[in-house]
């Protein structure tokens, strides 16, 4: 995969790590808050703890209420852990994207160093460099087909 990574791929990784996964984590954190009875703007009393077992009861819980309380706490913990795991996954994706970016920059620096070293690259050799102005002087020679030089096109040896 590392050989095929491009800027577009890095953007996809960035969106996954910085946009999509945090939004998914937020769903779990919202569920956690709802189970705790303090969801923002919530008017539901379904998950509020310490309610009377029945109207007029002096007991705050019943056997069903106690079982629900244990289940609710466990579900809250699960939602929090899932949200945190999703955010950690997003951080891992971003670490991978940054690693690819650093490797790309390091490789670009190596290429530039190589091209600047006269012992490794002859900047005056037209066959070792991108097409120069002479490429436009030969319209019969399509861009990218540099198997021969303009001199070869005219029947001369290079």
């Amino acid at each position: 995969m590392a050989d095929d990574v491009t800027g577009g791929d890095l953007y996809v990784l960035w969106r996954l790590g910085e946009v999509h996964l945090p939004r998914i984590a937020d769903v779990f954190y919202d569920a956690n808050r709802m189970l705790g009875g303090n969801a923002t703007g919530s008017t539901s009393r379904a998950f509020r703890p310490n309610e009377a077992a029945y109207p007029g009861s002096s007991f705050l819980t019943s056997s069903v209420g106690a079982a629900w309380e244990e289940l609710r706490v466990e579900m809250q913990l699960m939602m929090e852990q899932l949200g945190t795991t999703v955010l950690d996954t997003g951080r891992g994706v971003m670490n991978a994207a940054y690693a690819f970016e650093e490797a790309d920059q390091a490789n670009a620096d190596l290429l530039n160093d190589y091209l600047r070293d006269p012992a490794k690259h002859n900047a005056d050799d037209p066959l070792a460099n991108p097409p120069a102005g002479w490429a436009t002087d030969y319209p019969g020679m399509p861009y990218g087909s540099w198997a021969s030089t303009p001199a070869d096109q005219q029947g001369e040896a290079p």
Side-chain angles (χ1 to χ4, degrees):
M1 178 177 151
D3 295 337
D4 300 326
V5 173
T6 65
D9 297 325
L10 292 175
Y11 175 71
V12 170
L13 288 176
W14 177 86
R15 276 203 64 190
L16 179 66
E18 293 289 329
V19 178
H20 298 304
L21 289 174
R23 287 181 179 174
I24 292 169
D26 196 43
V27 170
F28 289 109
Y29 289 133
D30 283 346
N32 179 332
R33 287 186 291 274
M34 185 181 79
L35 286 166
N38 60 355
T40 305
S42 174
T43 57
S44 172
R45 300 183 56 81
F47 295 121
R48 295 185 187 245
N50 298 325
E51 293 289 323
Y54 53 89
S57 169
S58 61
F59 295 107
L60 293 179
T61 59
S62 64
S63 59
V64 173
W68 165 247
E69 187 66 20
E70 287 182 34
L71 177 61
R72 184 188 66 78
V73 168
E74 193 64 32
M75 288 173 51
Q76 270 191 283
L77 178 63
M78 179 180 66
M79 293 298 143
E80 185 272 331
Q81 288 175 339
L82 284 168
T84 300
T85 299
V86 171
L87 283 180
D88 288 344
T89 302
R91 285 186 203 102
V93 168
M94 290 309 301
N95 287 341
Y98 292 138
F100 284 126
E101 183 180 13
E102 286 176 20
D104 285 350
Q105 186 59 53
N107 288 333
D109 292 342
L110 286 172
L111 175 62
N112 287 329
D113 291 344
Y114 188 92
L115 292 173
R116 287 185 199 109
D117 186 351
K120 296 179 181 174
H121 176 73
N122 182 357
D124 295 326
D125 181 3
L127 294 179
N129 291 285
W134 58 262
T136 58
D137 296 338
Y138 296 90
M141 190 171 170
Y143 183 79
S145 64
W146 308 114
S148 61
T149 65
D152 292 334
Q153 293 289 319
Q154 295 172 351
E156 302 171 21

